[in-house]
Amino acid sequence: MYKMMTPGPTQVKENVRLARARECGNPDLDEAFFDFYKETCELISQLLHTQNETLILGGEGILGLEAACASLTEPGDRALVLDNGIFGEGFADFVSLYGGIPEMYTVDGKNPIDVQALEKFLEKNHDYKYATLVHCDTPSGILNDIGTLCPLLKKYGILTVVDAVSSMFGEEVRVDDSEIDIVCGGSQKAVSAPPGLTFVTVSADAKKAMAERKTPIASFYANLQIFEGYYEKKWFPYTMPISDIYGLRAAMENIAADKGMLARHAKIAKECRELLTEAGIKLYLQSGFSSTVTVFDVPEGTTAQEILDIMRKERHILLAGSFGSLAGKVVRIGHMGSNANEKDMAETMEALLQTLKKLGVELKGR
């Protein structure tokens, strides 16, 4: 077996695993489970500092992103896709899939989206129904400032859809302060529950836009409106994965009790970057480093696969490569959620540096 130090899925604590082993009732008919589901949703809203309703969906994080676009997009709607990473760019596919017209705002992928430059663009270009953006783009680790970008977009009357799947609970997400209309999270990143659930928090403005549609939402499963009134009706649109939700609740209670969570993520991320830099290993990004994932360039003379293979087979630690335009060019270390602890990170970094030395990479000070 290996130690999982990837940027999702992450290590899962024992109490989360045990929660998933609870005896199952019938989530379609058990009124107590409707209370449990609603209370879990309210806890997530509380942890995200919002009065907005949260919904837990039975599917991996991508479902939340697609459901946000499906629920907002009507044929011909223009959407602004803020793109400085692979997942940022990917939002355009969801917009197009539901008949919308994506307009790309593509900038340097090694730095965060510049707020002032975006404002200059919006002064002349702001006829969009909604904008999509990624808080932390996992393939590169870039972190965008949703606390300033989303209020700027709202200033121009643009709804916002934020992918916070790999940042949430490793970076601060304050939904109401940031005026985010739909924010999407996932169970398998810093939440540190197994893959299989996504959750979305939906503002009153987003609900109004859905209610005022002239055409029906072109999906059933990726449709946020179908949950309307679920608690009062005691009716879910599909059978809820009850064991997964038991586990998610335990993970959220772990987060609520972890008062030093964000500070610990920031400290471990900083130490990770400093250690790599001091050893002469080049970080992929120039700025905008996330506290949940560190990405470094593959040194000359070796390959990403060689590094990953030795780490997994000889050191029993699982790291990750990347994909898309970054495939084979970088290696990613996930220090999010349960991974973000000093012991595992120290073991991981020592093993990584020894692996690089074994592959003939010349390290400074080693």
Side-chain angles (χ1 to χ4, degrees), residues 181-302:
D181 289 297
I182 300 180
V183 64
C184 305
S187 58
Q188 78 274 26
K189 302 283 187 177
V191 173
S192 293
L197 294 177
T198 185
F199 42 91
V200 295
T201 299
V202 188
S203 74
D205 285 347
K207 288 182 177 181
K208 182 173 184 288
M210 294 174 206
E212 293 178 351
R213 292 175 59 108
K214 297 179 178 63
T215 58
I217 294 171
S219 176
F220 179 83
Y221 208 72
N223 179 346
L224 298 178
Q225 269 198 315
I226 58 174
F227 282 84
E228 186 174 350
Y230 77 88
Y231 183 72
E232 293 74 19
K233 299 171 189 172
K234 298 294 184 286
W235 179 87
F236 288 117
Y238 49 80
T239 300
M240 286 289 123
I242 184 170
S243 296
D244 290 344
I245 293 172
Y246 285 156
L248 181 66
R249 173 65 165 269
M252 288 297 173
E253 289 173 349
N254 288 343
I255 290 168
D258 189 355
K259 304 306 179 186
M261 175 180 66
L262 297 181
R264 184 178 66 259
H265 276 81
K267 179 176 182 289
I268 285 175
K270 181 172 181 289
E271 290 171 350
C272 179
R273 295 193 300 268
E274 288 175 348
L275 187 58
L276 289 172
T277 302
E278 288 167 3
I281 303 302
K282 186 175 181 296
L283 300 176
Y284 173 71
L285 296 176
Q286 295 173 349
S287 64
F289 300 97
S290 167
S291 292
T292 58
V293 54
T294 291
V295 183
F296 65 89
D297 290 342
V298 174
E300 289 186 17
T302 187

Side-chain angles (χ1 to χ4, degrees), residues 2 24 72 103 127 140 155 181 262 264 281 289 338 362:
Y2 48 76
C24 294
L72 289 177
E103 181 168 329
D127 184 21
S140 68
K155 171 184 165 184
D181 289 297
L262 297 181
R264 184 178 66 259
I281 303 302
F289 300 97
S338 296
E362 189 173 334

Side-chain angles (χ1 to χ4, degrees), residues 88-211:
E89 179 186 9
F91 262 120
D93 293 335
F94 293 136
V95 175
S96 299
L97 183 65
Y98 292 98
I101 303 169
E103 181 168 329
M104 307 301 292
Y105 180 83
T106 301
V107 294
D108 173 22
K110 292 195 173 187
N111 294 285
I113 295 168
D114 183 272
V115 178
Q116 293 181 335
L118 178 61
E119 180 152 33
K120 287 182 181 178
F121 172 83
L122 291 173
E123 286 172 0
K124 299 178 180 178
N125 307 274
H126 49 258
D127 184 21
Y128 304 104
K129 185 173 186 178
Y130 67 94
T132 65
L133 62 157
V134 178
H135 193 195
C136 170
D137 207 274
T138 328
S140 68
I142 193 77
L143 187 75
N144 291 311
D145 184 2
I146 56 175
T148 53
L149 291 168
C150 292
L152 172 61
L153 291 158
K154 288 287 282 187
K155 171 184 165 184
Y156 286 92
I158 303 169
L159 297 170
T160 54
V161 174
V162 173
D163 171 358
V165 172
S166 68
S167 60
M168 192 179 286
F169 307 121
E171 296 282 353
E172 188 164 47
V173 179
R174 303 187 70 89
V175 172
D176 287 354
D177 291 348
S178 300
E179 301 180 63
I180 302 170
D181 289 297
I182 300 180
V183 64
C184 305
S187 58
Q188 78 274 26
K189 302 283 187 177
V191 173
S192 293
L197 294 177
T198 185
F199 42 91
V200 295
T201 299
V202 188
S203 74
D205 285 347
K207 288 182 177 181
K208 182 173 184 288
M210 294 174 206

